[in-house]
Amino acid sequence: TTLLDALRGARTAEAEAGGITQRLSAFVARDAVGGGGDVAAATFLDTPGHAAFSKMRETSTRAVDIAVVVVAADDGVMPQTVEAVDHARAARAQIVVAVTKVDAVGGDAARAEAVARVRGELRERCGVATEADGGDVPLVALSARTGEGLGDLRETLALQSEVLDLRA
């Protein structure tokens, strides 16, 4: 929710109990996906990450073309991450990995180490090969709090939309 808030300039997460998503939400974010071209708006489905919401995540994934799998840099790949990747694959959705909270792990070296750790965990636990590892899954490191990397995520989503020829 914090990432979506940052993309659309909103403050929805503040209303969530403990700042944690408690329900399924859909948001249309105008200009949330950069890169120009025909992409003027994107619809995002925000699902809770807590293990109790597994069925909700599975159902939501069937409605998307691109699944942004969010992994916190300070937590790494969690059981819900593995589940989200499995749901995205079952739905045949393109996966984009967003490694968030890079601002919380320290300086540049610590950030690079955290992102490398997440890439390794994605390979080992999910069978996901990111572009940096010769695969086809884009990975974007970012901070929703500071805005770092949001432009990269917008560009990545625009590129994926173009490659997949997505049209409303």
Side-chain angles (χ1 to χ4, degrees):
T1 303
T2 304
L3 174 55
L4 287 178
D5 279 355
L7 286 172
R8 54 191 197 106
R11 295 166 63 167
T12 306
E14 292 177 8
E16 298 284 0
I20 299 170
T21 304
Q22 302 293 317
R23 65 187 188 286
L24 171 68
S25 302
F27 302 104
V28 174
R30 307 227 178 273
D31 299 320
V33 179
D38 297 330
V39 182
T43 301
F44 292 89
L45 296 179
D46 185 17
T47 60
H50 190 278
F53 296 98
S54 177
K55 187 66 176 168
M56 186 184 296
R57 285 191 299 276
E58 178 185 8
T59 302
S60 298
T61 305
R62 286 183 276 182
V64 302
D65 298 302
I66 301 172
V68 179
V69 177
V70 178
V71 181
D74 54 349
D75 289 337
V77 171
M78 306 289 281
Q80 296 90 322
T81 309
V82 177
E83 175 193 274
V85 168
D86 289 345
H87 291 327
R89 285 183 172 147
R92 297 178 191 229
Q94 172 63 43
I95 297 171
V96 172
V97 176
V99 180
T100 62
K101 299 183 182 179
V102 296
D103 57 310
V105 294
D108 290 342
R111 290 176 190 199
E113 184 177 311
V115 170
R117 179 176 53 84
V118 167
R119 285 181 23 228
E121 290 175 356
L122 286 166
R123 261 191 326 273
E124 293 169 17
R125 296 183 62 194
C126 304
V128 169
T130 64
E131 292 173 338
D133 297 315
D136 63 353
V137 176
L139 181 146
V140 179
L142 58 90
S143 167
R145 189 178 64 79
T146 67
E148 174 188 347
L150 288 179
D152 295 335
L153 180 60
R154 287 182 175 102
E155 289 176 20
T156 298
L157 293 174
L159 178 61
Q160 292 302 313
S161 296
E162 199 171 306
V163 167
L164 296 170
D165 195 29
L166 300 179
R167 302 280 181 244

mmCIF file of all heavy atoms in Angstrom, residues 66-106:
data_model
loop_
_atom_site.group_PDB
_atom_site.id
_atom_site.type_symbol
_atom_site.label_atom_id
_atom_site.label_comp_id
_atom_site.label_asym_id
_atom_site.label_seq_id
_atom_site.Cartn_x
_atom_site.Cartn_y
_atom_site.Cartn_z
ATOM 1 N N ILE A 66 0.260 -8.000 -15.161
ATOM 2 C CA ILE A 66 1.603 -7.878 -14.579
ATOM 3 C C ILE A 66 1.459 -7.962 -13.063
ATOM 4 O O ILE A 66 0.679 -7.224 -12.472
ATOM 5 C CB ILE A 66 2.268 -6.536 -14.962
ATOM 6 C CG1 ILE A 66 2.384 -6.403 -16.479
ATOM 7 C CG2 ILE A 66 3.631 -6.407 -14.291
ATOM 8 C CD1 ILE A 66 2.847 -5.027 -16.941
ATOM 9 N N ALA A 67 2.205 -8.859 -12.452
ATOM 10 C CA ALA A 67 2.189 -8.994 -10.993
ATOM 11 C C ALA A 67 3.469 -8.372 -10.449
ATOM 12 O O ALA A 67 4.566 -8.832 -10.766
ATOM 13 C CB ALA A 67 2.106 -10.462 -10.595
ATOM 14 N N VAL A 68 3.320 -7.314 -9.661
ATOM 15 C CA VAL A 68 4.470 -6.707 -8.996
ATOM 16 C C VAL A 68 4.606 -7.409 -7.650
ATOM 17 O O VAL A 68 3.778 -7.234 -6.762
ATOM 18 C CB VAL A 68 4.307 -5.184 -8.813
ATOM 19 C CG1 VAL A 68 5.524 -4.608 -8.095
ATOM 20 C CG2 VAL A 68 4.101 -4.502 -10.158
ATOM 21 N N VAL A 69 5.624 -8.239 -7.547
ATOM 22 C CA VAL A 69 5.879 -8.978 -6.314
ATOM 23 C C VAL A 69 6.803 -8.107 -5.465
ATOM 24 O O VAL A 69 7.929 -7.810 -5.867
ATOM 25 C CB VAL A 69 6.512 -10.357 -6.602
ATOM 26 C CG1 VAL A 69 6.847 -11.085 -5.307
ATOM 27 C CG2 VAL A 69 5.565 -11.194 -7.468
ATOM 28 N N VAL A 70 6.300 -7.703 -4.313
ATOM 29 C CA VAL A 70 7.031 -6.779 -3.444
ATOM 30 C C VAL A 70 7.783 -7.570 -2.388
ATOM 31 O O VAL A 70 7.203 -8.394 -1.682
ATOM 32 C CB VAL A 70 6.061 -5.773 -2.787
ATOM 33 C CG1 VAL A 70 6.805 -4.836 -1.845
ATOM 34 C CG2 VAL A 70 5.312 -4.974 -3.858
ATOM 35 N N VAL A 71 9.098 -7.313 -2.309
ATOM 36 C CA VAL A 71 9.955 -7.961 -1.328
ATOM 37 C C VAL A 71 10.686 -6.861 -0.567
ATOM 38 O O VAL A 71 11.369 -6.039 -1.176
ATOM 39 C CB VAL A 71 10.996 -8.891 -2.008
ATOM 40 C CG1 VAL A 71 11.864 -9.580 -0.953
ATOM 41 C CG2 VAL A 71 10.324 -9.899 -2.912
ATOM 42 N N ALA A 72 10.533 -6.842 0.738
ATOM 43 C CA ALA A 72 11.232 -5.846 1.552
ATOM 44 C C ALA A 72 12.709 -6.219 1.653
ATOM 45 O O ALA A 72 13.046 -7.365 1.955
ATOM 46 C CB ALA A 72 10.616 -5.757 2.941
ATOM 47 N N ALA A 73 13.572 -5.255 1.399
ATOM 48 C CA ALA A 73 15.020 -5.499 1.421
ATOM 49 C C ALA A 73 15.486 -6.005 2.773
ATOM 50 O O ALA A 73 16.399 -6.832 2.850
ATOM 51 C CB ALA A 73 15.771 -4.223 1.051
ATOM 52 N N ASP A 74 14.843 -5.542 3.836
ATOM 53 C CA ASP A 74 15.278 -5.945 5.169
ATOM 54 C C ASP A 74 14.704 -7.287 5.609
ATOM 55 O O ASP A 74 15.204 -7.901 6.544
ATOM 56 C CB ASP A 74 14.969 -4.861 6.203
ATOM 57 C CG ASP A 74 13.510 -4.425 6.207
ATOM 58 O OD1 ASP A 74 12.749 -4.796 5.293
ATOM 59 O OD2 ASP A 74 13.125 -3.682 7.139
ATOM 60 N N ASP A 75 13.674 -7.789 4.925
ATOM 61 C CA ASP A 75 13.078 -9.090 5.262
ATOM 62 C C ASP A 75 13.505 -10.194 4.310
ATOM 63 O O ASP A 75 13.610 -11.353 4.706
ATOM 64 C CB ASP A 75 11.549 -9.019 5.231
ATOM 65 C CG ASP A 75 10.971 -8.233 6.376
ATOM 66 O OD1 ASP A 75 11.642 -8.092 7.414
ATOM 67 O OD2 ASP A 75 9.827 -7.754 6.236
ATOM 68 N N GLY A 76 13.670 -9.859 3.044
ATOM 69 C CA GLY A 76 13.984 -10.877 2.041
ATOM 70 C C GLY A 76 12.750 -11.659 1.642
ATOM 71 O O GLY A 76 11.620 -11.282 1.938
ATOM 72 N N VAL A 77 12.973 -12.761 0.962
ATOM 73 C CA VAL A 77 11.876 -13.594 0.462
ATOM 74 C C VAL A 77 11.216 -14.306 1.642
ATOM 75 O O VAL A 77 11.868 -15.000 2.413
ATOM 76 C CB VAL A 77 12.398 -14.605 -0.582
ATOM 77 C CG1 VAL A 77 11.327 -15.615 -0.938
ATOM 78 C CG2 VAL A 77 12.879 -13.862 -1.828
ATOM 79 N N MET A 78 9.916 -14.095 1.733
ATOM 80 C CA MET A 78 9.099 -14.692 2.786
ATOM 81 C C MET A 78 8.213 -15.779 2.163
ATOM 82 O O MET A 78 8.107 -15.859 0.943
ATOM 83 C CB MET A 78 8.229 -13.617 3.448
ATOM 84 C CG MET A 78 8.995 -12.421 3.974
ATOM 85 S SD MET A 78 9.950 -12.812 5.420
ATOM 86 C CE MET A 78 8.666 -12.785 6.654
ATOM 87 N N PRO A 79 7.556 -16.611 2.981
ATOM 88 C CA PRO A 79 6.642 -17.604 2.417
ATOM 89 C C PRO A 79 5.577 -16.988 1.502
ATOM 90 O O PRO A 79 5.215 -17.568 0.477
ATOM 91 C CB PRO A 79 6.009 -18.254 3.660
ATOM 92 C CG PRO A 79 7.040 -18.085 4.727
ATOM 93 C CD PRO A 79 7.686 -16.754 4.439
ATOM 94 N N GLN A 80 5.105 -15.788 1.841
ATOM 95 C CA GLN A 80 4.109 -15.114 1.007
ATOM 96 C C GLN A 80 4.685 -14.711 -0.346
ATOM 97 O O GLN A 80 3.963 -14.634 -1.338
ATOM 98 C CB GLN A 80 3.540 -13.868 1.706
ATOM 99 C CG GLN A 80 2.781 -14.187 2.972
ATOM 100 C CD GLN A 80 3.664 -14.182 4.211
ATOM 101 O OE1 GLN A 80 4.812 -14.615 4.193
ATOM 102 N NE2 GLN A 80 3.133 -13.701 5.322
ATOM 103 N N THR A 81 5.997 -14.464 -0.396
ATOM 104 C CA THR A 81 6.651 -14.134 -1.662
ATOM 105 C C THR A 81 6.614 -15.355 -2.578
ATOM 106 O O THR A 81 6.269 -15.244 -3.756
ATOM 107 C CB THR A 81 8.116 -13.718 -1.433
ATOM 108 O OG1 THR A 81 8.192 -12.720 -0.429
ATOM 109 C CG2 THR A 81 8.738 -13.214 -2.725
ATOM 110 N N VAL A 82 6.972 -16.494 -2.027
ATOM 111 C CA VAL A 82 6.955 -17.742 -2.800
ATOM 112 C C VAL A 82 5.540 -17.994 -3.312
ATOM 113 O O VAL A 82 5.333 -18.321 -4.483
ATOM 114 C CB VAL A 82 7.451 -18.928 -1.946
ATOM 115 C CG1 VAL A 82 7.367 -20.240 -2.711
ATOM 116 C CG2 VAL A 82 8.884 -18.678 -1.457
ATOM 117 N N GLU A 83 4.572 -17.808 -2.446
ATOM 118 C CA GLU A 83 3.174 -17.990 -2.822
ATOM 119 C C GLU A 83 2.768 -17.020 -3.929
ATOM 120 O O GLU A 83 2.112 -17.418 -4.903
ATOM 121 C CB GLU A 83 2.286 -17.775 -1.598
ATOM 122 C CG GLU A 83 0.805 -17.817 -1.906
ATOM 123 C CD GLU A 83 0.002 -17.285 -0.748
ATOM 124 O OE1 GLU A 83 -0.304 -18.079 0.153
ATOM 125 O OE2 GLU A 83 -0.299 -16.079 -0.748
ATOM 126 N N ALA A 84 3.155 -15.757 -3.812
ATOM 127 C CA ALA A 84 2.801 -14.752 -4.818
ATOM 128 C C ALA A 84 3.389 -15.103 -6.182
ATOM 129 O O ALA A 84 2.726 -14.965 -7.220
ATOM 130 C CB ALA A 84 3.266 -13.364 -4.378
ATOM 131 N N VAL A 85 4.619 -15.565 -6.189
ATOM 132 C CA VAL A 85 5.256 -15.986 -7.445
ATOM 133 C C VAL A 85 4.505 -17.176 -8.035
ATOM 134 O O VAL A 85 4.222 -17.215 -9.239
ATOM 135 C CB VAL A 85 6.754 -16.313 -7.227
ATOM 136 C CG1 VAL A 85 7.337 -17.012 -8.440
ATOM 137 C CG2 VAL A 85 7.530 -15.040 -6.910
ATOM 138 N N ASP A 86 4.147 -18.133 -7.186
ATOM 139 C CA ASP A 86 3.394 -19.302 -7.667
ATOM 140 C C ASP A 86 2.050 -18.879 -8.263
ATOM 141 O O ASP A 86 1.645 -19.375 -9.320
ATOM 142 C CB ASP A 86 3.169 -20.302 -6.532
ATOM 143 C CG ASP A 86 4.435 -21.030 -6.111
ATOM 144 O OD1 ASP A 86 5.443 -20.981 -6.865
ATOM 145 O OD2 ASP A 86 4.421 -21.636 -5.017
ATOM 146 N N HIS A 87 1.347 -17.961 -7.588
ATOM 147 C CA HIS A 87 0.060 -17.475 -8.095
ATOM 148 C C HIS A 87 0.240 -16.756 -9.428
ATOM 149 O O HIS A 87 -0.553 -16.946 -10.357
ATOM 150 C CB HIS A 87 -0.599 -16.520 -7.103
ATOM 151 C CG HIS A 87 -1.084 -17.164 -5.847
ATOM 152 N ND1 HIS A 87 -1.570 -18.450 -5.770
ATOM 153 C CD2 HIS A 87 -1.167 -16.674 -4.591
ATOM 154 C CE1 HIS A 87 -1.921 -18.726 -4.529
ATOM 155 N NE2 HIS A 87 -1.686 -17.662 -3.786
ATOM 156 N N ALA A 88 1.272 -15.930 -9.527
ATOM 157 C CA ALA A 88 1.513 -15.186 -10.773
ATOM 158 C C ALA A 88 1.814 -16.142 -11.917
ATOM 159 O O ALA A 88 1.314 -15.960 -13.031
ATOM 160 C CB ALA A 88 2.660 -14.193 -10.578
ATOM 161 N N ARG A 89 2.612 -17.142 -11.649
ATOM 162 C CA ARG A 89 2.920 -18.132 -12.685
ATOM 163 C C ARG A 89 1.668 -18.893 -13.109
ATOM 164 O O ARG A 89 1.440 -19.115 -14.298
ATOM 165 C CB ARG A 89 3.985 -19.105 -12.198
ATOM 166 C CG ARG A 89 5.366 -18.494 -12.195
ATOM 167 C CD ARG A 89 6.383 -19.515 -11.780
ATOM 168 N NE ARG A 89 7.716 -19.002 -11.947
ATOM 169 C CZ ARG A 89 8.726 -19.320 -11.162
ATOM 170 N NH1 ARG A 89 8.556 -20.160 -10.155
ATOM 171 N NH2 ARG A 89 9.918 -18.813 -11.376
ATOM 172 N N ALA A 90 0.854 -19.302 -12.136
ATOM 173 C CA ALA A 90 -0.374 -20.039 -12.452
ATOM 174 C C ALA A 90 -1.321 -19.180 -13.289
ATOM 175 O O ALA A 90 -2.020 -19.694 -14.161
ATOM 176 C CB ALA A 90 -1.062 -20.493 -11.170
ATOM 177 N N ALA A 91 -1.312 -17.872 -13.037
ATOM 178 C CA ALA A 91 -2.180 -16.946 -13.779
ATOM 179 C C ALA A 91 -1.540 -16.489 -15.092
ATOM 180 O O ALA A 91 -2.142 -15.745 -15.849
ATOM 181 C CB ALA A 91 -2.496 -15.728 -12.911
ATOM 182 N N ARG A 92 -0.303 -16.920 -15.323
ATOM 183 C CA ARG A 92 0.461 -16.522 -16.510
ATOM 184 C C ARG A 92 0.644 -15.004 -16.607
ATOM 185 O O ARG A 92 0.635 -14.432 -17.694
ATOM 186 C CB ARG A 92 -0.165 -17.078 -17.775
ATOM 187 C CG ARG A 92 -0.152 -18.580 -17.775
ATOM 188 C CD ARG A 92 -0.793 -19.163 -18.981
ATOM 189 N NE ARG A 92 -0.974 -20.594 -18.756
ATOM 190 C CZ ARG A 92 -0.612 -21.507 -19.608
ATOM 191 N NH1 ARG A 92 -0.076 -21.187 -20.749
ATOM 192 N NH2 ARG A 92 -0.801 -22.772 -19.328
ATOM 193 N N ALA A 93 0.811 -14.391 -15.452
ATOM 194 C CA ALA A 93 1.067 -12.953 -15.388
ATOM 195 C C ALA A 93 2.571 -12.711 -15.461
ATOM 196 O O ALA A 93 3.362 -13.502 -14.932
ATOM 197 C CB ALA A 93 0.521 -12.371 -14.087
ATOM 198 N N GLN A 94 2.963 -11.646 -16.138
ATOM 199 C CA GLN A 94 4.370 -11.238 -16.142
ATOM 200 C C GLN A 94 4.734 -10.804 -14.729
ATOM 201 O O GLN A 94 3.975 -10.084 -14.083
ATOM 202 C CB GLN A 94 4.582 -10.076 -17.113
ATOM 203 C CG GLN A 94 5.963 -9.454 -17.059
ATOM 204 C CD GLN A 94 7.075 -10.420 -17.457
ATOM 205 O OE1 GLN A 94 6.940 -11.151 -18.413
ATOM 206 N NE2 GLN A 94 8.161 -10.404 -16.708
ATOM 207 N N ILE A 95 5.870 -11.237 -14.248
ATOM 208 C CA ILE A 95 6.319 -10.878 -12.902
ATOM 209 C C ILE A 95 7.335 -9.749 -12.987
ATOM 210 O O ILE A 95 8.247 -9.782 -13.813
ATOM 211 C CB ILE A 95 6.946 -12.091 -12.189
ATOM 212 C CG1 ILE A 95 5.908 -13.195 -12.012
ATOM 213 C CG2 ILE A 95 7.548 -11.689 -10.845
ATOM 214 C CD1 ILE A 95 6.491 -14.511 -11.517
ATOM 215 N N VAL A 96 7.157 -8.754 -12.124
ATOM 216 C CA VAL A 96 8.141 -7.708 -11.885
ATOM 217 C C VAL A 96 8.390 -7.720 -10.383
ATOM 218 O O VAL A 96 7.442 -7.712 -9.598
ATOM 219 C CB VAL A 96 7.628 -6.314 -12.328
ATOM 220 C CG1 VAL A 96 8.584 -5.215 -11.893
ATOM 221 C CG2 VAL A 96 7.403 -6.272 -13.830
ATOM 222 N N VAL A 97 9.639 -7.766 -9.976
ATOM 223 C CA VAL A 97 9.970 -7.759 -8.550
ATOM 224 C C VAL A 97 10.341 -6.339 -8.141
ATOM 225 O O VAL A 97 11.174 -5.701 -8.783
ATOM 226 C CB VAL A 97 11.136 -8.720 -8.232
ATOM 227 C CG1 VAL A 97 11.532 -8.617 -6.763
ATOM 228 C CG2 VAL A 97 10.759 -10.153 -8.580
ATOM 229 N N ALA A 98 9.700 -5.878 -7.076
ATOM 230 C CA ALA A 98 10.032 -4.581 -6.484
ATOM 231 C C ALA A 98 10.657 -4.841 -5.121
ATOM 232 O O ALA A 98 9.998 -5.353 -4.219
ATOM 233 C CB ALA A 98 8.787 -3.705 -6.346
ATOM 234 N N VAL A 99 11.940 -4.549 -4.984
ATOM 235 C CA VAL A 99 12.614 -4.687 -3.699
ATOM 236 C C VAL A 99 12.492 -3.339 -3.007
ATOM 237 O O VAL A 99 13.099 -2.348 -3.427
ATOM 238 C CB VAL A 99 14.097 -5.091 -3.852
ATOM 239 C CG1 VAL A 99 14.756 -5.210 -2.482
ATOM 240 C CG2 VAL A 99 14.217 -6.402 -4.610
ATOM 241 N N THR A 100 11.650 -3.302 -1.968
ATOM 242 C CA THR A 100 11.352 -2.055 -1.281
ATOM 243 C C THR A 100 12.199 -1.895 -0.024
ATOM 244 O O THR A 100 12.917 -2.806 0.377
ATOM 245 C CB THR A 100 9.860 -2.000 -0.888
ATOM 246 O OG1 THR A 100 9.588 -3.085 0.011
ATOM 247 C CG2 THR A 100 8.964 -2.093 -2.105
ATOM 248 N N LYS A 101 12.079 -0.734 0.559
ATOM 249 C CA LYS A 101 12.759 -0.393 1.816
ATOM 250 C C LYS A 101 14.276 -0.426 1.689
ATOM 251 O O LYS A 101 14.978 -0.724 2.656
ATOM 252 C CB LYS A 101 12.294 -1.291 2.959
ATOM 253 C CG LYS A 101 10.807 -1.191 3.254
ATOM 254 C CD LYS A 101 10.435 -2.056 4.437
ATOM 255 C CE LYS A 101 8.947 -1.995 4.706
ATOM 256 N NZ LYS A 101 8.583 -2.846 5.849
ATOM 257 N N VAL A 102 14.797 -0.113 0.491
ATOM 258 C CA VAL A 102 16.257 -0.109 0.344
ATOM 259 C C VAL A 102 16.893 0.993 1.189
ATOM 260 O O VAL A 102 18.070 0.898 1.529
ATOM 261 C CB VAL A 102 16.706 -0.004 -1.134
ATOM 262 C CG1 VAL A 102 16.273 -1.225 -1.923
ATOM 263 C CG2 VAL A 102 16.218 1.276 -1.783
ATOM 264 N N ASP A 103 16.109 1.988 1.542
ATOM 265 C CA ASP A 103 16.619 3.063 2.396
ATOM 266 C C ASP A 103 16.818 2.592 3.838
ATOM 267 O O ASP A 103 17.550 3.224 4.600
ATOM 268 C CB ASP A 103 15.670 4.264 2.374
ATOM 269 C CG ASP A 103 14.258 3.891 2.811
ATOM 270 O OD1 ASP A 103 13.712 2.912 2.272
ATOM 271 O OD2 ASP A 103 13.698 4.589 3.678
ATOM 272 N N ALA A 104 16.200 1.483 4.214
ATOM 273 C CA ALA A 104 16.257 1.001 5.593
ATOM 274 C C ALA A 104 17.450 0.087 5.867
ATOM 275 O O ALA A 104 17.676 -0.277 7.019
ATOM 276 C CB ALA A 104 14.966 0.254 5.932
ATOM 277 N N VAL A 105 18.207 -0.276 4.832
ATOM 278 C CA VAL A 105 19.294 -1.244 5.044
ATOM 279 C C VAL A 105 20.675 -0.609 5.095
ATOM 280 O O VAL A 105 21.661 -1.322 5.219
ATOM 281 C CB VAL A 105 19.269 -2.367 3.975
ATOM 282 C CG1 VAL A 105 18.025 -3.213 4.137
ATOM 283 C CG2 VAL A 105 19.390 -1.825 2.582
ATOM 284 N N GLY A 106 20.765 0.699 4.997
ATOM 285 C CA GLY A 106 22.058 1.348 5.118
ATOM 286 C C GLY A 106 22.538 1.972 3.828
ATOM 287 O O GLY A 106 21.754 2.283 2.940
#
